[in-house]
Structures are given as C-alpha cells and as structure tokens.
Amino acid sequence: MEDALIGADVFFVLLGAILVFAMHSGFAFLEVGTVRHKNQVNALVKILVDFAISTVAYFFVGYLIAYGTTFFVNAATLSGGEGFELKGLSLVKFFFLTTFAAAIPAIISGGIAERMKFLPQCLATVALVGIAYPFYEGLIWNGNFGLQGWIEATFGAPFHDFAGSIVVHGVGGWIALGAVLHLGPRLGRYTKDGRPIGIPPSSIPWLALGSWLLCVGWFGFNVMTAQSLSSVSGLVAINSLMAMVGGIIASLIIGRNDPGFIHNGALAGLVAVCAGSDVMHPIGSFIVGGAAGGIFVVFFNLCQNKYKIDDVLGVWPLHGLCGLWGGIAAGIFGLEAFGGLGGVSLGAQIVGSLSGIIYAFLVGYAVYGVLKSTLGIRLSPDDERMGADLAIHKISANPETDLPGR
C-alpha cells in the first residue's frame, strides 16, 4: 500500500510538471501573437532555449542553493537512497520546481522582445535561474537563512506564498522591469516629443492561444503545488477558477472589449491568486482576480503611454504588479474575518512581498546593467529594423515567402 501511495504521488507531481511545462508554450505563443511578424521566430526560440538553459543551471547549481540537494550521486540513491524519496519522487519534484524556475526568463522574454540580443539573454538566464532566483526561492519556500522565522516571530505568521505570486511572478516581473529600463523603447515606439506610436500585435489568434495554454496549465501550477495526493485541495482549484474569471470580467469592462486586455486579464487574475489560493474563500479570490484585471489594464496603459516604458507584453504590470497585489491580498482575504482559513498576517504579507520585489528589481537592474556595459544587450538599429528573426536566426516565420519569385 505504501509503495502504491508513493507511486501515485510520483504520477501526481509528474502530471503537474507536465502541465506547467506546457505553460511555456503559452508564454511562447502569447509573445508570438503580440510581437510583430518579423520577431515571431525569435519569440519561439527564446522560450525553448531559455527552458533548456534553465534546466541545466537549476540542476547543477540552483537546486543546491535553494534546497541543499545535489544530484552528484548514483542512480540507485536518486531512486530512493539516503536523502532521496522512494521511486524517484524527489526527482519529479525537481522537474516540477524546474518548470517554475524556467518561468523567470519566460516572463522576462515578453518585456525585452524585439530588440534584445540573443547571447546576453542566454547568459542572463544562467545567472538568474542558477543563482538569483533559487536564492530567494530558498528563503521563502525552504526557510533558508532564517528570514521566514524572523517574519513569523515579528508578525505572528510566516510569509505565505503558496504557488508563487511573489516567488515566481513578482520576481520575474520586477527583474523584467530592470531589463526593460536598460534596453529602452523600440525604434519608432515614441516620437521625438514623447508621443506614443501604436505598434499593433501581429496575431490575435496566436495571442489568444497563448493565453488559453497558460490558463489550462495554471491549474497544474497552483493545484499541484501541494506536491502529494494527501495534501491536494479542491479549494485551490476553485479559487484559481474564480480569480481567472474575475480577471477576465474586470479587463473586459475596464479594457473596453479589447481582446489583448481580456486574454491577459485572465492571466492577471491567476497571477494574483497564486499566493493565497489555498487559504482564501472563492468570493475573495474572485475579488482579488478582478482587482488584478483592473490593475493590469490601468498600469499597462500608464506604463506605455505616460511612463514611456516599452514593456512589450506588459510583463511588469501583469506579473510584477499583479504578483505584488496577490502577495498582499493573501494577508487580507486569507483572514478568517474575510472568509479565509486564517494562518496569515497582513504585516507578514506586506513585508514579504515588498522584500521580494525590491530584491528582484535590484538583481534585474544589476544583471542586465553588467551585460549592457560588457557585451551590450541591444540589437543594432539595422538589425532591429530587419527583425530578430532574420538578424539572429536567419529565417522568418514563413520562409517560403523569403524566396525570390514566390
């Protein structure tokens, strides 16, 4: 019976890892549909290559930093020897957490689209997934260096981030802000006197497909964070659902039927609910998701038109700000007074959330600043006008059209 239960947990976590891995195709197609046609191939390649580099960096370095586990032992030990769970359960948990870690460069990719050099971004992925992300992940999810203990002693509860509103989305979004500030806006995005010039998305259907893939996979992202059948909760599933639809409805209304806002509004709600999805009431989750949908629409417009920050997919408002809201909201709607399960503290959520985004922004600004001053991070003006597809990969999204006489 014990072997059967362990085997069931292996399958459960593996299925979660596969669902979150599938979300990376959602990141890819969301970017493909948003960028111009001349940058679609680059969007697809970036997400896939970043996932591969992330896996290697996290396997050899990052997982050790976060959880103190190294894989430099024989296969028998990995399958259930000292320090490892039976039937390779520890290994599928690594796979699951790798898909979270790889979401960091996938998030950043949308902000830096259409003008970032390829090699510097690959090197940034090594530094971020190998060192920067797992350091913070270990602080929050493994209790490293006593930060969680201090927060609990000070505020009566540890910082609660069940599925990563801050650890994954907030960190990814605020690192992306640092990168985007170093890159500057795309050529032709603003006039000389600062007026914005609209750059329409290349394909609403591809954008929508990306959103749908992310939404479906997100139920693995949130629900299977439990990492065992005995810990799984239907509350997480219904809270994720309610937050998602709240984000859709709010972005529909505030975004005035804009399909880009609507499809990203679903993601905004899901980002925000991650932190408290295991403790909030479904009505609270609906409110949190709706607020996140509004935050995304309002701050996307402010970011692009007032602040002149050319964040192509709006990853800072979507992941950075909605993630920040989700981290804090868990300390409100997770309270018993608001129908939640309790065990959270607003003070702990504020301190934990702010510490995460400050850390992420400083890291992002530093990493991309170093790369900018050494290798350079931006395509040349001629390459940017040509498009990253031909400039970097030497092929367009529709190669047949590149041939003479076709």
Side-chain angles (χ1 to χ4, degrees), residues 24-352:
H24 288 263
S25 65
F27 284 119
F29 284 107
L30 189 71
E31 185 173 336
V32 165
T34 305
V35 299
R36 286 169 288 186
H37 193 271
K38 62 183 179 180
N39 296 296
Q40 289 182 327
V41 171
N42 182 242
L44 293 168
V45 172
K46 276 192 301 179
I47 301 298
L48 189 60
V49 171
D50 277 339
F51 188 90
I53 293 173
S54 296
T55 301
V56 173
Y58 198 62
F59 182 87
F60 286 104
V61 182
Y63 201 70
L64 176 64
I65 292 174
Y67 300 102
T69 298
T70 177
F71 298 103
F72 292 99
V73 294
N74 59 45
T77 301
L78 292 175
S79 298
E82 184 178 355
F84 291 88
E85 295 170 279
L86 295 174
K87 295 184 178 292
L89 180 57
S90 297
L91 301 182
V92 292
K93 287 182 177 179
F94 162 78
F95 180 16
F96 183 69
L97 290 170
T98 296
T99 61
F100 279 53
I104 300 297
I107 290 168
I108 296 167
S109 177
I112 62 176
E114 301 200 315
R115 74 267 200 216
M116 179 80 187
K117 287 183 177 179
F118 191 63
L119 176 60
Q121 175 54 24
C122 292
L123 296 176
T125 295
V126 173
L128 295 172
V129 180
I131 301 172
Y133 167 77
F135 175 78
Y136 184 72
E137 177 190 17
L139 290 179
I140 304 304
W141 284 346
N142 199 46
N144 295 352
F145 301 108
L147 176 63
Q148 283 284 39
W150 175 82
I151 292 175
E152 184 174 8
T154 305
F155 298 101
F159 173 55
H160 188 88
D161 190 5
F162 179 69
S165 285
I166 296 295
V167 174
V168 178
H169 299 287
V171 167
W174 284 84
I175 289 175
L177 177 61
V180 169
L181 291 177
H182 276 301
L183 275 171
R186 290 166 289 176
L187 295 176
R189 183 65 181 88
Y190 301 100
T191 63
K192 291 182 179 180
D193 59 358
R195 289 184 293 107
I197 297 174
I199 298 179
S202 59
S203 172
I204 296 299
W206 284 129
L207 183 158
L209 176 64
S211 175
W212 274 103
L213 288 168
L214 284 163
C215 287
V216 171
W218 220 296
F219 288 88
F221 193 98
N222 283 1
V223 175
M224 293 172 175
T225 291
Q227 296 193 36
S228 71
L229 284 172
S230 62
S231 301
V232 71
S233 170
L235 183 64
V236 178
I238 195 66
N239 281 340
S240 301
L241 177 66
M242 294 303 289
M244 182 187 74
V245 299
I248 293 170
I249 292 170
S251 59
L252 168 69
I253 297 169
I254 300 172
R256 300 180 179 180
N257 302 327
D258 183 285
F261 285 144
I262 293 167
H263 285 91
N264 279 284
L267 308 181
L270 287 164
V271 165
V273 81
C274 286
S277 57
D278 63 326
V279 295
M280 294 192 294
H281 188 280
I283 296 175
S285 296
F286 179 74
I287 295 170
V288 169
I295 288 169
F296 173 72
V297 174
V298 170
F299 279 92
F300 181 89
N301 285 325
L302 287 173
C303 184
Q304 297 288 339
N305 300 324
K306 184 176 181 180
Y307 304 151
K308 306 296 187 296
I309 299 173
D310 190 15
D311 176 355
V312 180
L313 267 67
V315 298
W316 176 57
L318 179 60
H319 297 275
L321 294 181
C322 292
L324 175 60
W325 159 240
I328 295 172
I332 301 171
F333 293 95
L335 296 171
E336 292 182 32
F338 288 90
L341 296 181
V344 294
S345 161
L346 179 57
Q349 294 307 115
I350 292 173
V351 170

